Every structure is written in C-alpha cells, then in structure tokens.
Amino acid sequence: MSTHGSTLDVPELTQRLLAQAYGLGFDAAGIASLGEPATVSAFEAWRAAGMHGSMAWLDGTGATLRGDTRRPHPGATHAIVVAASYGGRAPSGPVARYARGDDYHVVLRERVRELHHWLERTLGRPVNARPYVDSGPLLERDLAQRAGLGWFGKNTMLITPKAGAFLFLASLLVELDLEPSAPFEADRCGRCTRCLDACPTGALVEPRVLDARRCISYLTIEHRDAIPEPLRASFGGLIYGCDICNDVCPWNERFTREPSLPSLAPRMGFPASDDVAEIRAFARTLCVMSAAEYADTFRGSAIKRAKLWMLQRNACIALGNVGTAADLPVLEALCTHEHPLVREHAKWACERVGAMDRQ
Ligand code: SF4
Ligand code: SF4
C-alpha cells in the first residue's frame, strides 16, 4: 500500500525515514505507535510517593497528558524517536556532560524539524507533526524503548546497545502511517548493580527507582531551595548535575561515543576535568559572576536552567567540600549576598573549609 501522495509504501517510507535520521547525525532511531506507555503505572506510583520533589509540571495536566502518548498532539498516531550522543571519554568534571555544549533543546529540535521537512518533501504534502525534546508531556524513555532504541537501565537511563546511555532523546509525533519498530524487550543489566552501589546519595532507592529528592542532578538543577545539609558532603566537587551512575555503567564504558552533532561538543570554559584545582577555579568564577557575565557566558547553554544564585549556591557546596583556605575570601564575600540561600550555603562552606583547615 502506498502512502498518501507518494509512490512509497509504508515499509519503504519507514526505512528511508530511519536512514534519513541516521544521515542527519542521530545515533539511534526507531518508530513507535502511540498509546498508553507500559511504564505509566510505575510513573504514577513514583509521583504518588512524592519522589519527583518540587517538579510540579509532572502533576495535574502534565500527568494526564503523560498517561497516553496520543494526548499531547491531536491527530498524531506514531512517534519517530531519535537519540543523539553527548558522551565522550573526557572525565566527568563539575558540570554534567549533557550541559557542556549548546542547548540540546535547540540543537535537536532543529534536526528533528529537518526530518519533518524531509517527510513533507518526500510525500509532497504537509504532514501534521510536532517535535518534542525533553520539553513536553511525554514519557520519552518509555517511547524510546517502544521504538526499539534500548532498555531501561537500573540507573533509570535509557541504554542503547551500540551507543550506551549518554544520549539525548527527541521525538517527532506524526499523523502518518509508519511501520513500528520492534520494542526492545531485553534487560541487559543482568546482575550488575554498579550504578546503585556508586550513587553517593542513595538516590537510586531500588533498581529503576530514583528518588529525585536525593539526586544531585535534581538538587543542583531543579531544586530552588536549600540543599539538604546531610547530603551536601556527598556532592564532592559537583556543581551542575551528576554523571556518576552513568559513568560507572559498563555499557557507557564500552560504547559511549563522542557527541554526534558538532554543536553538542563541549564549549570552552566548562572544565571537563576532575582536577580539584580546576573545579575550585570554576567554582570561584561562578561565585563572583555578575548577572551580565552569567547571561553572556552561558548564552545558548542548557546550564541556564539553573539561575545564577543556584549556581552560586552549588559552587559554595563544591568549595565547602574540596576548597581550601585560599577560597575563603570568595566564600566570605558571598556571606553578604543578596540571596538568603547563597548566604546560608556560603556560611556552611566557610565553616567546612575553616574546620578542614584547622585539622
Ligand atoms: S545522578 Fe548522581 S545522585 Fe542522581 S542517581 Fe545518579 S549517581 Fe545518584
Ligand atoms: S551500571 Fe549496571 S545495573 Fe546500572 S544501568 Fe548500567 S548495566 Fe544496568
């Protein structure tokens, strides 16, 4: 059967579409039919337990829309799901790998739109479609598993057998007949528990269950309040995000790839290093950064998900953990910062550094 307005039948179109996705630089691609996600009950139980912390967009309408992938975009029947690597072999450093390049929302949306334009050119007619890049009410990892890209690791990441888990996921929801890919049914974690063992805050409370309220990624990026004091020492030198449960994963050790799209490659200025002196220098730079410098330095970067005061709060924790007496002047200056949470974290850090110095 040919697709509307084109001589290609559905399997041919699907095959060419997936080839086009790889041609655009994506590391994995597949097709899923839309419907109720297999993991919706697990998502609801997680939410009901409050493990999503203060991410209020996951409640209310957001939760209803996530309950069925046919809801977010009227008329859509299938999802073209793609993944792009942000991995690489450089040390993790104080800023999570995903945030070191240009803002992935923008980069991937542009590529997914190219896929949409290719479809319209190929079919010779408009196609009702909408791109989603970690920005809409979709359980994207569920959709990716359904599209055959990979499985849910015990660290809650979507792991692909050929490119590991340092991947951005994006979907184009389309109103179009396509041939669904075979879902990825296998669980290739086996008896491994490396991610659960390595998590410094115990946020992976059981395999595939992440308590965001204990997760360094959530706390440094999404949480707009004080960081719980008992957890602060576990942050080490991390300032924005955390890659630990991904770094230890054997699938990443073996298969991670350098960023597939050039603009996802790390920008200058983000330390891709675990060297303590570099982490301290970066933290001090954040501590003294003005609003204008913040806007200029991080223009077009995903790191702006955290406001400047949040980065300064996080930098205080990093200096409290890995700083020395040489960092005290910068921390002391923040003790009079206009934001009360920066003041409180700076005082905490001063006490820690002072105590360490006295030992
Ligand atoms: S991102 Fe870090 S804190 Fe969060 S679950 Fe993974 S290892 Fe734990
Ligand atoms: S570290 Fe092991 S258990 Fe965790 S996601 Fe990777 S393979 Fe699975």
Side-chain angles (χ1 to χ4, degrees), residues 153-155 159 188-189 192-195 245 248-251:
K154 291 179 190 173
N155 63 1
I159 307 179
R188 301 216 183 146
C189 283
C192 175
T193 58
R194 279 201 205 179
C195 51
C245 57
V248 297
C249 180
W251 291 91

Side-chain angles (χ1 to χ4, degrees), residues 160-218:
T160 63
K162 291 189 181 149
F166 286 118
L167 295 168
F168 295 121
L169 297 175
S171 301
L172 184 68
L173 300 195
V174 288
E175 184 174 355
L176 184 67
D177 260 355
L178 291 168
E179 188 171 54
S181 312
F184 199 104
E185 304 286 6
D187 170 9
R188 301 216 183 146
C189 283
R191 286 191 293 181
C192 175
T193 58
R194 279 201 205 179
C195 51
L196 290 110
D197 301 339
C199 175
T201 56
L204 291 166
V205 289
E206 55 183 278
R208 302 180 176 89
V209 180
L210 173 86
D211 187 343
R213 297 165 299 184
R214 299 186 67 81
C215 175
I216 297 168
S217 284
Y218 163 79

